[in-house]
């Protein structure tokens, strides 16, 4: 398994946010399931596709929401 990460929904429209929305101060813990590098070798950027295991009961995610990721050692 990958390192433990925390994901947080930051910008859901207020009318669509669940009453206990995740925030930067109260993130939802998520396990990193997979990471795939999207950029080729020798590129200046390292762009990746990340997949997380998140309990759907703990987080409502809507189209257009943004997620922040903070690594935890």
């Amino acid at each position: 398994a990958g390192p433990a990460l925390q994901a947080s929904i930051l910008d859901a429209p207020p009318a669509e946010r669940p009453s206990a929305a995740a925030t930067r101060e109260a993130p939802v813990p998520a396990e990193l399931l997979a990471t795939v590098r999207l950029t080729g070798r020798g590129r200046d950027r390292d762009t990746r596709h990340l997949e997380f295991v998140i309990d759907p009961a703990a987080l409502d995610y809507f189209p257009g929401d943004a997620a922040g990721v903070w690594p935890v050692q």
Side-chain angles (χ1 to χ4, degrees):
L5 296 173
Q6 295 176 335
S8 176
I9 300 307
L10 302 176
D11 70 351
E16 296 181 12
R17 286 186 184 166
S19 57
T23 66
R24 185 178 297 224
E25 292 76 28
V28 172
E31 178 184 346
L32 180 62
L33 182 63
T35 179
V36 178
R37 186 171 179 163
L38 301 177
T39 49
R41 289 185 189 161
R43 300 289 179 165
D44 292 338
R45 292 182 179 209
D46 182 3
T47 303
R48 294 179 179 261
H49 168 86
L50 303 174
E51 295 180 15
F52 297 94
V53 178
I54 300 173
D55 179 1
L59 183 65
D60 287 328
Y61 192 83
F62 299 96
D65 285 351
V69 177
W70 294 270
V72 176
Q73 296 292 335

